[in-house]
Amino acid sequence: MSSTPATHAASGAAVVPPLFQGLFDDAAVFPPGNLPVAETVPAHLAHRAAPYADAVGPLLCGAGRLGELAAAADAATGTAVSSADGTGPRLRVGLVLPGGSSELGPALTAAAPFVVAGVELATRDAGEAVAALDLLLPPDVPAAVELPRELLRGDGLEEVLDVLVDSPYRAKFRTGGVVAGAFPDEAELAGFLTGCAQRGLPYKCTAGLHHAVRHTDPATGFEHHGFLNVLLAAAETDPKTAAEILAERSGAVLAEAVRSLTDRQVTVIRNSFTAFGTCSIAEPLDDLAALGLLSPDLTSQEDR
């Protein structure tokens, strides 16, 4: 049985297809969006109340901005987010910790007013990160470990993935940034994706995946990977095949490939590629609607 691009519930209302549910983590406060926290919170609450809410993951926030986030949540809702009686609204927040393991304990304490939906820990030592997460992370909170790309070349990639596959944590890979060198080419990204697929290791991506299809940004000249390309490459174990999928620039070709996915293939893909951070929720949704993979009823909200 094939998955369909515009699934409908029994009531006739459009719903988000399983391939895209929870795929888009809200990274509005991070570059290149850099939306002020005071504006990010009401925008995120609007996303969570919108018809496309099932596509939206947690609000990502750096450890140093959690106090600012709590104040913005209080202002946006008119209720203390940290109310002692627990009646205040509790945002689902993903903690982004670029400073490594030393940030973990203080960040978890500072995040007490929120529902911690995940932790993303950057490190130069996967073993140390795993040990810190094992020690401090509540068992019901998922985590992802990111190492610098220069440490993931050659045997370094194999070593890091082997450490993580023996842990309960995901890998995290940076697929873009604000400079050209932050974007891996097809071969490098394919090596990461297939290395994870070979091990059954889940992962998330971050940066540079705002649009569905691989393209050259007309303003910067940067080569951006498409999130549809990554989704379709996620189940591949052969690096050459994965690289070919990552290089595809035809939205029509990618959309047809998505429509041909079986339910089982969708499950395999999303068990591998769990989410990615995007500073825009509207852009990926609009791309999917334009490709006929998402009902326009889900993306016509003026307040996005």
Side-chain angles (χ1 to χ4, degrees), residues 202-291:
Y203 54 87
K204 73 165 296 184
C205 296
T206 187
L209 293 180
H210 301 172
H211 290 288
V213 181
R214 182 177 180 84
H215 65 283
T216 304
D217 187 289
T220 64
F222 298 165
E223 290 292 313
H224 286 251
H225 294 285
F227 67 83
L228 279 186
N229 300 75
V230 179
L231 283 167
L232 290 166
E236 298 295 334
T237 57
D238 174 58
K240 181 179 179 181
T241 302
E244 290 172 351
I245 295 170
L246 293 173
E248 179 59 61
R249 291 174 179 266
S250 169
V253 169
L254 295 174
E256 184 57 34
V258 167
R259 292 187 185 97
S260 71
L261 293 172
T262 65
D263 293 337
R264 182 180 181 279
Q265 286 173 319
V266 169
T267 298
V268 170
I269 286 169
R270 290 306 311 280
N271 283 346
S272 297
F273 181 22
T274 61
F276 68 93
T278 172
C279 64
S280 170
I281 298 297
E283 286 178 352
L285 293 174
D286 289 344
D287 277 10
L288 291 176
L291 290 169

Side-chain angles (χ1 to χ4, degrees), residues 126 147 149 151-166 188 190-199 201 237 239:
L147 275 86
R149 282 174 43 222
L151 298 183
L152 299 179
R153 297 190 174 105
D155 293 340
L157 175 63
E158 303 292 318
E159 293 171 3
V160 168
L161 297 186
D162 286 343
V163 169
L164 293 180
V165 80
D166 290 328
E188 182 182 351
F192 172 80
L193 299 181
T194 55
C196 290
Q198 291 161 6
R199 293 167 173 79
L201 176 65
T237 57

Side-chain angles (χ1 to χ4, degrees), residues 77-174:
T77 63
T79 307
V81 72
S82 55
S83 54
D85 61 4
T87 59
R90 303 191 70 205
L91 290 176
R92 293 182 68 248
V93 173
L95 301 181
V96 180
L97 309 180
S101 302
S102 63
E103 289 189 327
L104 180 58
L108 289 171
T109 299
F114 309 106
V115 175
V116 179
V119 169
E120 301 176 20
L121 183 62
T123 183
R124 297 188 68 86
D125 186 330
E128 178 188 58
V130 167
L133 291 166
D134 284 347
L135 180 65
L136 298 174
L137 193 67
D140 59 338
V141 176
V145 176
E146 175 188 0
L147 275 86
R149 282 174 43 222
E150 66 266 20
L151 298 183
L152 299 179
R153 297 190 174 105
D155 293 340
L157 175 63
E158 303 292 318
E159 293 171 3
V160 168
L161 297 186
D162 286 343
V163 169
L164 293 180
V165 80
D166 290 328
S167 79
Y169 312 118
R170 293 175 292 169
K172 178 182 174 182
F173 193 77
R174 193 160 293 274

